[in-house]
Amino acid sequence: GTKTGLLLSLVGSTVGNVVTGFSFNIATLIAFRALTGLFAGSAPVAQGFIVRVCEPQERPKWLALSGALTSSALLFGPAVAGGLSTYFLELPFFVAGAVAGVNLLFVLFMFKEPPKKEPVDPSEAPQSPEVAGSAQGAEGGVAPEEGEEAGEGEG
């Protein structure tokens, strides 16, 4: 479920960032960053959660906010990391690991999995008149004109 996906992603991010801080040469740095990248899935999982729990008219607002926060992190994260690295070079990785760890604890103790929705049989789903009309027209190619019977026409 959503909680499992978030937990897996955040455990990988926490561990990956912390061990990156302990890397001792370029090879271990690359390996640990690759490990961290393998678990970088919390944003898509969170967006999937938004789609599942929000009403259709609310989804654009929350998905836009999610995208804006992700973009802000990509914009300001390097500047914050650059500032932190003036203290010592590994500090940005330890801070990133700590932030991921706090998020991990939040998901572990506070996040509640949304209730499962029963799948809707597409044949029973209500259709708008446009969709119903296009479905009728799709069967025979072109829907008959008003007052015309199916099978009648030019020819």
Side-chain angles (χ1 to χ4, degrees):
T2 304
K3 187 171 185 173
T4 304
L6 287 173
L7 288 173
L8 182 64
S9 175
L10 291 170
V11 165
S13 294
T14 301
V15 171
N17 279 304
V18 170
V19 297
T20 299
F22 289 114
S23 60
F24 48 88
N25 61 30
I26 192 70
T28 57
L29 175 70
I30 291 170
F32 293 150
R33 290 302 294 158
L35 171 73
T36 306
L38 287 174
F39 291 94
S42 58
V45 173
Q47 289 177 338
F49 175 76
I50 290 170
V51 169
R52 282 181 53 203
V53 300
C54 291
E55 294 297 324
Q57 63 273 18
E58 290 288 313
R59 280 184 202 145
K61 176 178 82 170
W62 292 107
L63 287 171
L65 180 61
S66 172
L69 291 173
T70 301
S71 296
S72 297
L74 293 171
L75 180 67
F76 296 114
V80 171
L84 289 172
S85 68
T86 61
Y87 297 100
F88 60 99
L89 285 177
E90 297 85 1
L91 184 59
F93 299 111
F94 294 130
V95 170
V99 169
V102 169
N103 287 331
L104 173 66
L105 294 173
F106 177 78
V107 169
L108 190 61
F109 295 112
M110 304 292 288
F111 185 85
K112 295 192 179 5
E113 193 73 46
K116 296 208 186 265
K117 293 181 180 177
E118 292 297 319
V120 177
D121 183 3
S123 64
E124 296 174 9
Q127 293 185 344
S128 66
E130 296 84 23
V131 172
S134 65
Q136 291 171 353
E139 289 178 272
V142 177
E145 292 292 321
E146 196 172 307
E148 217 178 75
E149 291 291 321
E152 287 183 11
E154 296 180 38

